[in-house]
Amino acid sequence: MSKTLFDKIWEKHVVDSIPDGPDVLYIDRHFIHEVTSPQAFTGLNKRGIRVFRPERVFASPDHNVPTINQHLPIQDKLSRLQVEKLTENCQAHGVKLFHLTHENHGIVHIIGPELGITQPGQTIVCGDSHTATHGAFGTIAFGIGTSEVEMVFTSQCLLQYKPKKMRITVDGELGQGVVSKDVILYIIARLGAGGGTGYFVEYAGSAFRNMSMEARMTVCNMSIEMGARGGLIAPDEKTFEYLKGRKFVPQGAEYDEHVEQWKELFSDPDAVFDKEMKIKAEDIPPMLTYGTNPGMGIPVDQPVPGRAGEEKALEYMGLKQGEMLLDKPVNYIFIGSCTNARIEDFRAVADLIRGKQKAGNIRAYLVPGSKLVERQIDEEGLRGVFEDAGFEIRQPGCSACLGMNEDKVPKGEYCVSTSNRNFEGRQGPESRTILASPLTAAATALNGKITDVRNLV
Amino acid sequence: MEKFKTITSTAVPIQIENIDTDQIIPARYLKATDREGFGDNLFRDWRYDENGRPKQGFVLNDNKYRGSILVAGKNFGSGSSREHAAWALADFGFRVVVSSFFADIFKNNALNNGLLPVQVSDAFLSLLLERISSNPHEEVLVNLDVQEIRLLSSGDSEQFEINPYKKQCLQNGYDDIDYLLSILDKVAEYESKTLRT
């Protein structure tokens, strides 16, 4: 029988099925961070049990960490305690930890792929909704709550009902200045913030095939923003080439054997999906959000729609129906987060701003996703480009994506941000987030107002 | 986990759609390492101003509305996977959240904490919101055994779905960990058969 890629991976991981109930799904990789794991460890300790398969668990503190002076003790007491708790728990349970000063430290969804911990065909979970990022490698990767983190600690399994399947096909060539972030913002604007709820998405078509692995990660990362549990892309030569030689990937002949197995990971040609959506790549422009959920997105050169029910969001954002976002002055841009903090994002930004200066009103935060990305920025001479342009390069972490650490956008200010959520207060109390691609954010920094990057490239 | 059977209570209406978990509890209040006390910061930025003073006009600051049932607009609990959202609602005293649509991860988190998500039709949600907003004394009965939600004064009711496994867990106060611990030998057997890296 014809199967989807999702079905193939799922079925290989079913340990048992409860009659009239969920499947017991085996989990290959479990990423943890400091915010959603402490209560799960406490649960284990209360029961007097240890992590069942610690070698499958990988930890990195990312949400709460400062992005300057990481060699010093964390100033904020509660943040420091949470990060210390992670270290303590990992030591007690034998879990691999990439601590704050480790050479491989970074945002969990950035370091998993770059270290080759993430591999095709795996099931991957993390107490974080952006776990879908790893789907770019042809994995079933999804976010879970802390009780579920505890379940995976206990048994390396989760009780899960199989979701429905949706395929989103984008064929054709993306226009100049249009990148993977625009593609996913466009898809979410079409489907709405809840349009993917109950589904697991497969992204298919030439637009995704033509994307680099890093660009694919940006797409899969935001699957949750339309409510989907996750999103995946069938692995191909680009995937195998990306993973080859990475730290946690088998080497030599063993690697070749893995690749042979990974080549079986695709949806059969006549596999049936519960829902299909087709998009022409040529129709996708650079995108912006204007509201308080990621589904409220528009082309950069279009007016704010202001549909019924959006009044509260527009009031929060200080925007009016029919107003243009283009040329609107903004004072903050943020390039970072698990969505857009990989080396290709910084290369693209550097190419755009090389030899130019940010506008005087702009504060531009650039926050690499990992220590490795930070080193690449230095090795490739990009730091000088950013500093010459007046951009501020910080140290790895989730930073201004979620207003949990010191990096926040002040009350009432707009921030053109490459992160994944524009919820009320997401980047700090009463901050106003406009989601966009790294190119749009960088172009905006140069002009001090929202800019259509197509006019610069 | 506390057992769940039926609940009769007045209800608290929040007529807002797409309430995300950042609104239920903002990230800066997620720094605790235990599960208690999150109710103090439930809906923090809607409930308090920057100086910590209660904001007039937000329903949790209106003494008229009390009860263990929260009724909210469509697509409740979207966004982050933070279970702190479910903990905050439960810690505040809610046992049931009613909406016409729930985000997946929130729904699981709620069920894992004995907080029952009740999904009703858009029409029934409108009726509920209208009735409880206009009459704060209106009592609502949620019966898990027969999967029914009912407005006591008028008898208007609707059935709701819950998967049989989760229903049983709630009725008996079991959690998934008890079950998973009982099948560790099966997991080990699966691992030995299915070599993977």
Side-chain angles (χ1 to χ4, degrees):
Chain A
M1 205 186 104
S2 298
K3 286 177 182 165
T4 67
L5 170 58
F6 179 86
D7 290 327
K8 289 180 185 178
I9 301 173
W10 181 281
E11 284 167 15
K12 274 197 177 163
H13 289 82
V14 174
V15 173
D16 200 5
S17 296
I18 300 174
D20 288 331
D23 287 337
V24 180
L25 195 70
Y26 192 79
I27 302 300
D28 293 316
R29 293 286 183 270
H30 184 192
F31 293 102
I32 61 172
H33 61 77
E34 75 280 22
V35 181
T36 56
S37 68
Q39 293 87 352
F41 278 113
T42 304
L44 286 192
N45 296 341
K46 273 188 189 158
R47 289 176 195 252
I49 53 178
R50 294 175 54 79
V51 171
F52 182 61
R53 294 291 181 248
E55 68 277 12
R56 293 182 179 275
V57 188
F58 298 85
S60 183
D62 54 10
H63 282 58
N64 229 334
V65 301
T67 58
I68 51 166
N69 295 325
Q70 288 185 343
H71 61 291
L72 298 176
I74 298 174
Q75 296 288 312
D76 181 88
K77 188 180 163 213
L78 290 174
S79 300
R80 187 173 71 245
L81 286 175
Q82 217 175 34
V83 171
E84 283 171 0
K85 198 80 189 162
L86 182 68
T87 305
E88 198 181 292
N89 284 328
C90 287
Q91 279 169 354
H93 288 267
V95 168
K96 175 83 184 160
L97 168 72
F98 302 102
H99 56 77
L100 195 51
T101 51
H102 191 287
E103 61 171 2
N104 293 125
H105 170 260
I107 303 173
V108 285
H109 309 311
I110 305 264
I111 65 172
E114 77 182 13
L115 294 173
I117 298 168
T118 303
Q119 295 169 22
Q122 291 173 335
T123 47
I124 301 177
V125 296
C126 175
D128 189 287
S129 58
H130 295 110
T131 309
T133 313
H134 307 266
F137 291 79
T139 68
I140 294 181
F142 55 93
I144 56 176
T146 299
S147 294
E148 293 170 314
V149 170
E150 191 178 338
M151 291 170 205
V152 183
F153 280 164
T154 304
S155 63
Q156 205 55 39
C157 290
L158 272 179
L159 299 179
Q160 288 288 307
Y161 285 88
K162 204 173 180 178
K164 290 183 282 187
K165 286 148 290 179
M166 183 189 324
R167 178 162 59 188
I168 299 175
T169 307
V170 184
D171 278 315
E173 297 276 333
L174 294 174
Q176 187 95 12
V178 179
V179 293
S180 62
K181 180 64 165 286
D182 300 305
V183 175
I184 188 64
L185 286 174
Y186 182 86
I187 291 169
I188 299 165
R190 286 271 299 264
L191 273 170
T197 303
Y199 291 92
F200 216 95
V201 176
E202 179 171 346
Y203 300 100
S206 60
F208 301 114
R209 295 262 77 85
N210 293 338
M211 284 182 192
S212 69
M213 288 312 296
E214 296 197 354
R216 292 179 193 179
M217 284 187 248
T218 301
V219 171
C220 292
N221 172 275
M222 290 189 72
S223 303
I224 185 72
E225 308 312 337
M226 50 190 164
R229 204 64 202 278
L232 79 175
I233 296 174
D236 59 10
E237 288 301 327
K238 280 186 185 163
T239 319
F240 312 143
E241 195 50 44
Y242 175 96
L243 286 172
K244 199 171 184 175
R246 293 194 184 256
K247 196 168 177 177
F248 285 80
V249 169
Q251 311 293 326
E254 204 191 332
Y255 182 73
D256 298 336
E257 279 171 37
H258 274 77
V259 170
E260 286 313 307
Q261 289 173 24
W262 294 341
K263 284 181 178 168
E264 302 296 316
L265 295 168
F266 55 85
S267 287
D268 295 328
D270 44 358
V272 178
F273 291 80
D274 299 288
K275 191 171 177 178
E276 295 256 17
M277 182 177 181
K278 287 191 189 334
I279 291 167
K280 283 189 204 138
E282 291 77 9
D283 291 345
I284 304 175
M287 295 289 290
L288 298 171
T289 62
Y290 62 92
T292 54
N293 72 58
M296 298 171 78
I298 47 170
V300 63
D301 55 0
Q302 292 298 308
V304 172
R307 301 177 185 96
E310 292 186 345
E311 299 81 4
K312 183 174 184 289
L314 291 192
E315 190 191 333
Y316 181 84
M317 291 297 291
L319 296 172
K320 291 192 173 60
Q321 182 177 13
E323 184 178 348
M324 295 298 291
L325 289 176
L326 201 60
D327 292 333
K328 190 175 182 64
V330 299
N331 296 328
Y332 288 80
I333 68 127
F334 169 59
I335 297 176
S337 86
C338 57
T339 314
N340 280 119
R342 299 179 183 82
I343 189 60
E344 287 177 11
D345 297 314
F346 294 104
R347 285 179 192 145
V349 169
D351 286 344
L352 190 77
I353 67 170
R354 190 171 277 114
K356 299 187 177 117
Q357 269 291 316
K358 73 170 179 67
N361 60 313
I362 285 280
R363 181 139 191 216
Y365 281 127
L366 271 67
V367 186
S370 70
K371 294 280 199 294
L372 177 65
V373 175
E374 190 182 28
R375 284 195 296 278
Q376 287 172 308
I377 285 173
D378 284 325
E379 285 160 14
E380 297 180 17
L382 306 184
R383 185 179 293 269
V385 176
F386 298 137
E387 285 174 354
D388 290 349
F391 286 47
E392 195 178 328
I393 278 271
R394 298 173 75 91
Q395 290 177 291
C398 295
S399 186
C401 174
L402 85 164
M404 180 158 193
N405 48 72
E406 290 103 338
D407 304 350
K408 291 188 179 77
V409 175
K411 179 178 174 174
E413 292 284 354
Y414 292 99
C415 178
V416 174
S417 176
T418 69
S419 53
N420 38 53
R421 292 201 170 121
N422 52 351
F423 296 155
E424 283 184 32
R426 175 75 180 182
Q427 296 193 286
E430 297 184 53
S431 61
R432 293 162 165 168
T433 304
I434 295 170
L435 299 176
S437 78
L439 290 181
T440 298
T444 298
L446 294 178
N447 288 344
K449 55 189 184 180
I450 294 176
T451 299
D452 187 339
V453 69
R454 289 174 297 191
N455 298 331
L456 296 186
V457 292
Chain B
M1 203 165 71
E2 206 179 325
K3 288 182 186 176
F4 194 113
K5 295 282 182 198
T6 65
I7 279 179
T8 305
S9 170
T10 52
V12 179
I14 302 189
Q15 306 209 25
I16 299 173
E17 293 189 356
N18 296 311
I19 296 178
D20 57 73
T21 51
D22 275 76
Q23 305 322 310
I24 300 171
I25 185 157
R28 60 189 193 282
Y29 297 106
L30 307 184
K31 298 188 186 206
T33 53
D34 52 33
R35 289 179 183 231
E36 283 78 42
F38 289 105
D40 294 344
N41 293 310
L42 176 67
F43 295 115
R44 175 78 204 194
D45 291 339
W46 288 348
R47 205 167 137 201
Y48 299 107
D49 68 14
E50 58 201 307
N51 302 313
R53 285 185 300 250
K55 283 185 182 174
Q56 293 260 318
F58 184 61
V59 67
L60 292 192
N61 295 328
D62 186 340
N63 286 328
K64 286 205 299 285
Y65 296 104
R66 286 288 173 265
S68 56
I69 300 173
L70 178 70
V71 183
K74 192 173 189 159
N75 196 24
F76 186 87
S78 59
S80 158
S81 64
R82 62 188 67 160
E83 194 162 316
H84 311 68
W87 297 336
L89 289 161
D91 190 58
F92 188 83
F94 290 116
R95 296 295 314 277
V96 176
V97 185
V98 184
S99 178
S100 58
F101 198 73
F102 288 95
D104 281 335
I105 307 180
F106 175 79
K107 198 191 284 183
N108 286 346
N109 286 342
L111 288 165
N112 285 331
N113 286 279
L115 175 70
L116 179 65
V118 172
Q119 187 164 324
V120 296
S121 66
D122 285 325
F124 194 75
L125 182 69
S126 302
L127 178 75
L128 269 179
L129 284 169
E130 186 200 313
R131 292 280 182 80
I132 59 181
S133 300
S134 59
N135 177 14
H137 302 293
E138 179 80 52
E139 283 195 307
V140 180
L141 168 68
V142 175
N143 185 333
L144 178 60
D145 293 336
V146 298
Q147 297 174 222
E148 187 193 70
I149 177 166
R150 177 183 296 269
L151 275 159
L152 280 186
S153 65
S154 64
D156 288 299
S157 70
E158 195 169 276
Q159 299 288 124
F160 61 87
E161 296 283 320
I162 179 169
N163 68 59
Y165 170 81
K166 276 292 170 196
K167 179 176 173 178
Q168 229 182 354
C169 287
L170 280 177
Q171 286 169 321
N172 296 304
Y174 297 156
D175 65 31
D176 289 355
I177 293 176
D178 299 327
Y179 175 78
L180 288 166
L181 279 170
S182 75
I183 60 154
L184 288 183
D185 52 338
K186 273 190 186 167
V187 180
E189 191 189 318
Y190 167 88
E191 287 176 320
S192 63
K193 275 196 304 200
T194 321
L195 269 183
R196 63 181 76 247
T197 52

